[in-house]
């Protein structure tokens, strides 16, 4: 058995972890040019800015509308795929300056494969990617709630479902949308996130606009509830008096 760092015997899990770490290090070093390209791209923010500028004239602010939110979301997915290809974790569990400080063998001159200014750039790139990850999660949450609201009319008008089930769905969706709005758009929360996202060059204004649009779409819920109530009343009126509730 191999010796653990504290002098004990390393167990199988520790040995496997070290093996995977070495394999990942080898992959990162073999992809050094692309790793450096990703780090410099995220550090400068120019590629993200170009994507957002190209999408600025897109349709609206919705996630799927081709506007800046969709562009930021797509850029995040692209970077995640590139990170995976070079062996860097997109979950950002380890700061990139620490992760890239991979020692070079003494026979190869010692030191680290990634040094100096590149590690400084990696710290800034990690911060931007961290902000981009949170922004993408918020964007997708707003997009998912908007999709739920858009699906409500078809669900309410579907003839094969009981009115009580339809009313329960209206209530559930409206509560989830309200919780999303409260989580993301509470003044203290939004102020803290907006500053961080803004410094990363992300389209905070577009996300705020998407939140306002989502709040306006909530109007559909009471409208559909009234429609459902009128339908139930009309159906009851057509029934023989003895069968009415």
């Amino acid at each position: 058995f191999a010796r653990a760092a504290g002098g004990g015997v390393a167990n199988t899990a520790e040995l496997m972890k070290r093996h995977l770490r070495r394999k990942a290090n080898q992959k990162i070093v073999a992809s050094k040019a692309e790793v450096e390209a990703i780090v410099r791209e995220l550090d400068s923010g120019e590629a993200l800015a170009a994507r957002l500028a190209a999408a600025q004239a897109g349709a609206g602010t919705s996630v799927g509308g081709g506007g800046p939110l969709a562009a930021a979301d797509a850029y995040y997915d692209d970077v995640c795929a590139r990170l995976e290809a070079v062996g860097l974790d997109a979950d950002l569990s380890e700061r990139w300056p620490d992760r890239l400080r991979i020692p070079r063998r003494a026979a190869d001159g010692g030191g680290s494969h990634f040094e100096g200014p590149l590690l400084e750039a990696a710290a800034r790139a990690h911060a931007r990617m961290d902000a981009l990850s949170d922004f993408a999660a918020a964007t997708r949450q707003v997009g998912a709630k908007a999709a739920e609201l858009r699906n409500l009319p078809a669900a309410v008008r579907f003839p094969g479902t009981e009115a009580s089930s339809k009313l329960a769905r209206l209530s559930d969706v409206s509560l989830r949308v309200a919780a999303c709005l409260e989580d993301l758009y509470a003044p203290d929360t939004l102020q803290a996130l907006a500053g961080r996202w803004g410094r990363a060059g992300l389209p905070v204004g577009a996300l705020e606009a998407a939140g306002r649009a989502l709040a306006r779409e909530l109007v559909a819920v009471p409208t559909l509830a009234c429609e459902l109530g009128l339908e139930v009343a009309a159906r009851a009126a057509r029934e023989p008096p003895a069968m009415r509730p």
Side-chain angles (χ1 to χ4, degrees):
F1 288 91
R3 289 284 172 182
V9 177
N11 60 32
T12 304
E14 290 172 340
L15 291 173
M16 181 59 70
K17 184 176 180 180
R18 292 180 194 175
H19 172 71
L20 293 175
R21 181 77 168 190
R22 283 195 298 271
K23 294 286 287 184
N25 286 349
Q26 292 168 3
K27 188 174 185 179
I28 291 171
V29 172
S31 307
K32 184 176 180 180
E34 176 63 6
V35 170
E36 292 181 352
I38 295 171
V39 165
R40 293 196 175 98
E41 177 182 314
L42 285 168
D43 179 28
S44 72
E46 292 177 359
L48 172 61
R51 288 269 194 116
L52 296 177
Q56 198 62 45
T61 56
S62 66
V63 179
L69 294 184
D73 200 52
Y75 181 72
Y76 172 73
D77 282 342
D78 290 348
V79 174
C80 284
R82 292 169 63 194
L83 290 172
E84 183 178 357
V86 300
L88 276 175
D89 291 330
D91 66 3
L92 307 172
S93 57
E94 186 176 4
R95 293 182 69 256
W96 287 352
D98 299 329
R99 184 66 188 91
L100 294 178
R101 200 171 278 108
I102 300 172
R104 187 186 286 113
R105 294 182 306 174
D108 296 329
S112 172
H113 286 279
F114 301 90
E115 297 180 318
L118 193 282
L119 293 181
E120 295 172 5
R124 295 187 295 269
H126 184 278
R128 189 185 302 278
M129 188 62 184
D130 189 36
L132 184 56
S133 175
D134 288 347
F135 189 84
T139 295
R140 292 172 184 185
Q141 185 178 359
V142 172
K145 297 302 175 287
E148 285 191 75
L149 286 175
R150 287 194 296 270
N151 290 335
L152 281 179
V156 168
R157 292 162 187 157
F158 183 72
T161 308
E162 293 292 332
S164 58
S165 298
K166 295 177 179 179
L167 285 171
R169 179 165 181 175
L170 287 174
S171 176
D172 289 345
V173 170
S174 62
L175 287 173
R176 285 197 295 271
V177 172
C180 169
L181 291 170
E182 184 176 359
D183 288 344
L184 287 178
Y185 297 97
D188 292 344
T189 302
L190 186 60
Q191 184 175 5
L193 292 175
R196 179 165 160 263
W197 290 339
R199 289 189 295 274
L202 294 163
V204 178
L207 186 58
E208 291 175 335
R212 290 192 294 271
L214 182 62
R216 287 194 297 270
E217 289 178 24
L218 267 175
V219 174
V221 173
T223 302
L224 289 169
C226 290
E227 179 182 317
L228 182 59
L230 290 172
E231 179 187 336
V232 170
R235 190 184 307 122
R238 291 193 296 269
E239 293 178 348
M243 297 181 61
R244 296 176 189 173

